[in-house]
Amino acid sequence: MFHYGSGNYEAFAHPRVPKDIEQKHAYIMGSGLAGLSAAFFLVRDAKMPGENIHILEKDPIPGGAMDGWQYPLLGYTMRGGREMDNHFEVMWDILRDVPSIENADYSVLDEYYWLNKDDPNYSLCRVTEHQGQDAHTDKKFTVSDKAQEQILKLYLTPEKDLENKTIEDVFDDEVLDSNFWLYWRTMFAFENWHSALEMKRYMQRFVHHIDGLPDLSALRFTRYNQYESMILPMVKYLEDHGVKFEYGVKLEDVQFVVREDEKLAQSLTVKRDGKTETIPLTENDLLFMTVGGLVENSAFGSQTEPAKLDDNLSDDGGWSTWKKIAKQSDDFGHPEKFCGDVEKTNWESATVETLDEEVFPYIKAITGRDVLTGHVVTGGIVTAKDSSWLLSWTINRQPQFRNQPDGHALVWVYGLFTDREGDYVKKPMRDCTGEEICEEWLYHIGVPEDKIHDLAANHCNTIPCMMPFVTAFFMPRQKDDRPLVRPKGSKNFAFIGQFAETPRDTIFTTEYSMRTGMEAVYDLLDIERAVPEVWGSAYDVRDMLKAAVHMRDGKPLTEMEMNPIEKLAVKEMLKKVKGTDIELVLKEYGAIPEED
């Protein structure tokens, strides 16, 4: 059984090799971050021979949802972008030992650290309105005292009491009309009907970054798209260690022996190049399964064609496979809780390739930065708050692809409300071609209407992507709806990825996928080293005080509206702590005012 730890003592330790590891084989279903991470820990920490590790991937390339690709006759596409945190402890544990593919003398972490140290991320304009005008949110949260009470109550409510509840069940308009919610929902893609339990986890997980939410200074980004910056170095590392990648192989089903106190994976049914085959497993073999799929049924459109919304859960998909597996034990989760209503789990993104510099002046007018310097441009997403699609867009450091033509830039655009009519293009986003989505974006960045069509049609190439299940994991749920990484009684298998359950961490992050891979390997093989715990800022009084004061837009906590009894209680409490370290901490973080 693995355990959690913190600090250098266990982080720097090298585990001993598990007994008989050279006789074991591992089958990893899926080559997304979770699968690659599981393979990494098998190689580095378990010392399993690479040729004994089989990564089976249904697609022709690795990476899963972590894509970034140039399709012939279509263009550059990035279905999504990931925002990284300095306390993604498992992620950095991996990437410190993965060599850069540009310079093997350095690790991926080295490059990432230097990049973000030399060119720190922050936004000069987080929110616009009225066709590209600064909305002057001015780093303010605009959270009333009543809203603060609702947020604090959610923060302190046990997860058990939040099961199957929505955000609208715990927040009213006092929160939902604030700048805080505008920042939050557009940065993390939360909707009002999503899980209150997940919202609580996010608040606790990232409480140390609340002050960086309004200007996105909390975030860090890779140099290129994340397929090239993260997936390719990990794949090369694994290939160099002999790990076998098998493409065009899809998991159809798993056959288990389920007894009261133990569960054993006996065989896999896979489809390889259209042909069904069975892979027998012994108790000495290990199986790691990625189930569900946030990008399943995702569909690209083109400059002239919309991206189709496909809600059909065919027998070939990852959701149907999970449903087959789940029928064999209640411990294997309840996929129907997540994939049953695409109207609540979809949004659409688009990749805009500017073919020249005609659009750049409008971008610079908002961001205050030139586009092609190789440095931070938007510093994260810019949200058009008066967009009926709730449109947000970002331009990361250019170029985003190593082979990107000189003078071209890539813009990533996404909308949360794909069923609503646009403000310029009078159609729902889901019915729009790439050109029409580009027109709507150009409208919201302030391009004069008489120039919009020409710029979208002749100076940009836009590829839309509809993702019906992209926020499926945010759907209201209860504890057992996601299977544990290692279900009770498991002898030789584990679930990994976004739909496996591990405590305290937050889904829709790179860290979550990588953490499940680490926990699965460490647990099944009893690796003699701790899994780094989720960063403990939720229990750090300094981070909580800092967050509380920033949420009040810098006003001390003593200025909250209180009745006479509450005011008297606070006054007496401050008398008790006067002259102590507690008073100094309260003053240092602005919770109480400095004395005149």
Side-chain angles (χ1 to χ4, degrees):
M1 178 67 182
F2 78 90
H3 64 284
Y4 294 113
S6 60
N8 293 340
Y9 178 64
E10 294 194 75
F12 290 173
H14 295 95
R16 287 175 287 192
V17 179
K19 184 180 179 181
D20 298 329
I21 190 66
E22 67 280 354
Q23 298 174 22
K24 296 179 181 292
H25 282 254
Y27 295 88
I28 300 172
M29 310 310 301
S31 66
L33 273 181
L36 296 178
S37 299
F40 173 87
F41 289 114
L42 287 169
V43 168
R44 190 193 70 177
D45 295 342
K47 299 296 190 290
M48 180 177 280
E51 60 269 22
N52 291 8
I53 302 170
H54 310 266
I55 298 179
L56 309 181
E57 170 58 54
K58 64 181 176 63
D59 292 328
I61 57 174
M66 291 281 287
D67 67 337
W69 200 253
Q70 182 186 21
Y71 288 92
L73 307 179
L74 191 64
Y76 290 103
T77 62
M78 300 176 287
R79 284 184 289 194
R82 285 85 188 168
E83 300 143 336
M84 264 78 74
D85 164 67
N86 57 325
H87 288 302
F88 280 6
E89 306 301 330
V90 173
M91 180 175 174
W92 306 131
D93 189 289
I94 292 173
L95 296 184
R96 70 186 174 94
D97 281 332
V98 175
S100 160
I101 59 175
E102 293 190 326
N103 188 332
D105 291 336
Y106 308 128
S107 72
V108 173
L109 174 57
D110 291 333
E111 286 188 328
Y112 183 95
Y113 177 77
W114 297 331
L115 174 70
N116 286 277
K117 188 175 187 298
D118 293 341
D119 185 27
N121 187 81
Y122 61 95
S123 168
L124 294 173
C125 182
R126 173 65 179 83
V127 182
T128 62
E129 60 184 349
H130 309 313
Q131 294 174 254
Q133 300 302 304
D134 191 334
H136 286 291
T137 50
D138 298 328
K139 300 186 181 182
K140 302 295 184 183
F141 286 97
T142 65
V143 176
S144 67
D145 285 356
K146 181 182 176 183
Q148 291 168 44
E149 291 175 7
Q150 293 177 22
I151 293 169
L152 180 60
K153 182 179 179 181
L154 177 62
Y155 190 92
L156 297 174
T157 299
E159 288 193 0
K160 178 67 176 175
D161 295 339
L162 296 172
E163 291 184 343
N164 297 315
K165 289 187 176 181
T166 70
I167 290 168
E168 290 176 316
D169 290 333
V170 297
F171 291 160
D172 62 20
D173 289 345
E174 290 283 333
V175 175
L176 300 178
D177 289 339
S178 68
N179 283 350
F180 163 75
W181 182 239
L182 178 65
Y183 301 147
W184 193 277
R185 73 184 312 183
T186 54
M187 177 176 169
F188 295 121
F190 272 98
E191 302 275 26
N192 295 15
W193 52 81
H194 282 158
S195 168
L197 190 160
E198 298 299 344
M199 179 72 188
K200 171 204 165 71
R201 278 204 185 181
Y202 261 78
M203 288 171 56
Q204 290 196 333
R205 178 68 169 85
F206 298 114
V207 66
H208 55 288
H209 280 323
I210 291 296
D211 59 324
L213 194 62
D215 67 357
L216 302 173
S217 57
L219 303 181
R220 291 156 179 80
F221 295 94
T222 54
R223 176 65 187 86
Y224 299 104
N225 67 84
Q226 286 144 10
Y227 178 80
E228 293 187 34
S229 290
M230 293 176 64
I231 297 298
L232 290 184
M234 291 182 71
V235 169
K236 186 177 187 305
Y237 172 94
L238 295 172
E239 289 177 338
D240 288 348
H241 285 81
V243 173
K244 296 180 178 179
F245 285 81
E246 301 178 43
Y247 299 104
V249 183
K250 184 198 171 295
L251 178 65
E252 294 284 296
D253 200 359
V254 182
Q255 291 73 45
F256 296 91
V257 173
V258 178
R259 302 186 181 95
E260 184 176 347
D261 58 349
E262 71 174 21
K263 302 176 180 70
L264 179 72
Q266 273 195 321
S267 63
L268 310 175
T269 301
V270 300
K271 187 174 286 186
R272 189 189 302 268
D273 298 325
K275 296 180 180 180
T276 300
E277 64 181 71
T278 298
I279 301 174
L281 302 175
T282 70
E283 191 170 330
N284 211 32
D285 295 319
L286 303 177
L287 172 63
F288 302 89
M289 297 170 284
T290 305
V291 292
L294 72 161
V295 292
E296 184 168 329
N297 287 23
S298 62
F300 291 115
S302 70
Q303 177 82 342
T304 57
E305 295 290 333
K308 295 180 180 179
L309 174 61
D310 179 7
D311 61 356
N312 178 40
L313 292 176
S314 68
D315 288 339
D316 273 347
W319 289 105
S320 63
T321 302
W322 186 11
K323 287 180 179 181
K324 294 173 189 175
I325 291 171
K327 287 179 181 179
Q328 301 182 58
S329 172
D330 199 48
D331 290 335
F332 296 167
H334 305 111
E336 64 278 357
K337 290 290 286 284
F338 305 101
C339 62
D341 189 352
V342 298
E343 290 302 331
K344 292 183 177 179
T345 60
N346 82 84
W347 44 258
E348 187 168 8
S349 70
T351 306
V352 180
E353 179 186 3
T354 63
L355 305 178
D356 50 39
E357 300 186 11
E358 292 297 311
V359 180
F360 291 0
Y362 305 99
I363 294 170
K364 185 175 181 179
I366 294 172
T367 66
R369 295 175 174 132
D370 291 321
V371 175
L372 298 180
T373 62
H375 298 294
V376 166
V377 184
T378 60
I381 60 170
V382 180
T383 296
K385 67 178 292 186
D386 52 355
S387 161
S388 61
W389 297 349
L390 197 53
L391 201 69
S392 297
W393 57 281
T394 184
I395 304 177
N396 291 330
R397 299 176 182 94
Q398 300 297 312
Q400 271 291 282
F401 287 75
R402 289 181 174 85
N403 68 347
Q404 192 171 312
D406 292 341
H408 291 212
L410 292 177
V411 187
W412 186 75
V413 179
Y414 94 101
L416 281 176
F417 303 132
T418 67
D419 59 335
R420 298 182 183 178
E421 186 178 272
D423 301 293
Y424 177 78
V425 179
K426 302 300 182 181
K427 295 166 63 175
M429 187 179 189
R430 63 179 63 171
D431 294 336
C432 288
T433 66
E435 182 180 307
E436 290 168 332
I437 291 174
C438 186
E439 288 180 337
E440 186 78 5
W441 169 65
L442 293 172
Y443 172 81
H444 280 291
I445 67 170
V447 174
E449 293 190 27
D450 62 350
K451 295 184 178 181
I452 286 176
H453 176 71
D454 177 58
L455 288 178
N458 301 313
H459 299 270
C460 298
N461 183 58
T462 303
I463 310 304
C465 181
M466 170 57 73
M467 292 170 282
F469 302 103
V470 68
T471 55
F473 34 54
F474 281 158
M475 292 299 284
R477 65 174 182 91
Q478 61 192 42
K479 185 176 181 180
D480 60 354
D481 287 334
R482 297 197 303 228
L484 295 175
V485 170
R486 186 183 184 184
K488 182 180 178 181
S490 164
K491 305 294 288 185
N492 65 343
F493 66 92
F495 292 98
I496 58 176
Q498 298 288 312
F499 293 94
E501 172 65 19
T502 185
R504 289 188 52 215
D505 216 343
T506 49
I507 39 83
F508 216 177
T509 61
T510 52
E511 173 74 355
Y512 195 92
S513 289
M514 299 168 103
R515 176 174 291 277
T516 61
M518 186 179 196
E519 290 183 358
V521 171
Y522 275 42
D523 203 354
L524 286 171
L525 291 172
D526 197 21
I527 300 297
E528 295 181 322
R529 180 174 179 260
V531 172
E533 69 170 351
V534 173
W535 185 248
S537 53
Y539 309 114
D540 190 321
V541 67
R542 299 165 300 178
D543 283 319
M544 289 188 281
L545 284 173
K546 182 176 71 171
V549 172
H550 278 282
M551 288 285 284
R552 291 179 49 73
D553 294 329
K555 293 182 290 186
L557 304 183
T558 50
E559 294 183 13
M560 289 188 71
E561 293 181 8
M562 293 178 279
N563 62 43
I565 294 176
E566 291 169 334
K567 288 182 179 179
L568 180 61
V570 170
K571 185 176 181 180
E572 291 301 313
M573 183 274 290
L574 293 177
K575 285 183 181 178
K576 294 286 187 183
V577 303
K578 189 172 180 61
T580 69
D581 281 346
I582 295 175
E583 181 188 38
L584 293 177
V585 170
L586 291 172
K587 287 182 177 180
E588 180 181 354
Y589 289 92
I592 61 176
E594 294 281 353
E595 295 175 350
D596 294 332

Short mmCIF file of all heavy atoms in Angstrom, two decimals, residues 38 249 348 393 435 484 570:
data_model
loop_
_atom_site.label_atom_id
_atom_site.label_comp_id
_atom_site.label_asym_id
_atom_site.label_seq_id
_atom_site.Cartn_x
_atom_site.Cartn_y
_atom_site.Cartn_z
N ALA A 38 2.28 6.28 -15.92
CA ALA A 38 2.39 4.93 -15.36
C ALA A 38 3.61 4.21 -15.94
O ALA A 38 4.39 3.58 -15.20
CB ALA A 38 1.11 4.15 -15.64
N VAL A 249 -4.87 0.00 -31.52
CA VAL A 249 -5.36 -1.07 -30.64
C VAL A 249 -6.30 -0.45 -29.61
O VAL A 249 -5.88 0.38 -28.79
CB VAL A 249 -4.20 -1.79 -29.92
CG1 VAL A 249 -4.75 -2.94 -29.07
CG2 VAL A 249 -3.17 -2.30 -30.91
N GLU A 348 -17.04 24.27 -27.25
CA GLU A 348 -16.36 24.25 -28.54
C GLU A 348 -15.15 25.16 -28.50
O GLU A 348 -15.19 26.26 -27.94
CB GLU A 348 -17.32 24.69 -29.64
CG GLU A 348 -16.75 24.55 -31.05
CD GLU A 348 -17.81 24.72 -32.13
OE1 GLU A 348 -18.95 25.09 -31.80
OE2 GLU A 348 -17.48 24.48 -33.31
N TRP A 393 -10.32 33.83 -25.33
CA TRP A 393 -9.27 33.55 -26.30
C TRP A 393 -7.90 33.79 -25.68
O TRP A 393 -7.77 34.53 -24.71
CB TRP A 393 -9.44 34.39 -27.56
CG TRP A 393 -9.45 35.89 -27.33
CD1 TRP A 393 -10.51 36.64 -26.88
CD2 TRP A 393 -8.36 36.80 -27.52
NE1 TRP A 393 -10.14 37.96 -26.77
CE2 TRP A 393 -8.84 38.09 -27.17
CE3 TRP A 393 -7.05 36.66 -27.96
CZ2 TRP A 393 -8.04 39.23 -27.24
CZ3 TRP A 393 -6.24 37.79 -28.05
CH2 TRP A 393 -6.75 39.06 -27.70
N GLU A 435 -14.69 30.06 -40.32
CA GLU A 435 -14.68 31.46 -40.72
C GLU A 435 -15.66 32.28 -39.90
O GLU A 435 -15.35 33.41 -39.47
CB GLU A 435 -15.03 31.56 -42.21
CG GLU A 435 -15.01 32.97 -42.76
CD GLU A 435 -15.37 33.01 -44.24
OE1 GLU A 435 -14.72 32.26 -45.01
OE2 GLU A 435 -16.29 33.76 -44.61
N LEU A 484 -11.96 3.94 -7.49
CA LEU A 484 -10.66 4.23 -6.90
C LEU A 484 -9.55 3.81 -7.87
O LEU A 484 -9.74 2.92 -8.69
CB LEU A 484 -10.49 3.46 -5.59
CG LEU A 484 -11.44 3.83 -4.45
CD1 LEU A 484 -11.20 2.89 -3.26
CD2 LEU A 484 -11.26 5.28 -4.03
N VAL A 570 -15.11 39.83 18.08
CA VAL A 570 -13.86 40.09 17.35
C VAL A 570 -12.95 41.00 18.17
O VAL A 570 -11.72 40.78 18.25
CB VAL A 570 -14.16 40.72 15.98
CG1 VAL A 570 -12.87 41.22 15.33
CG2 VAL A 570 -14.84 39.71 15.06
#
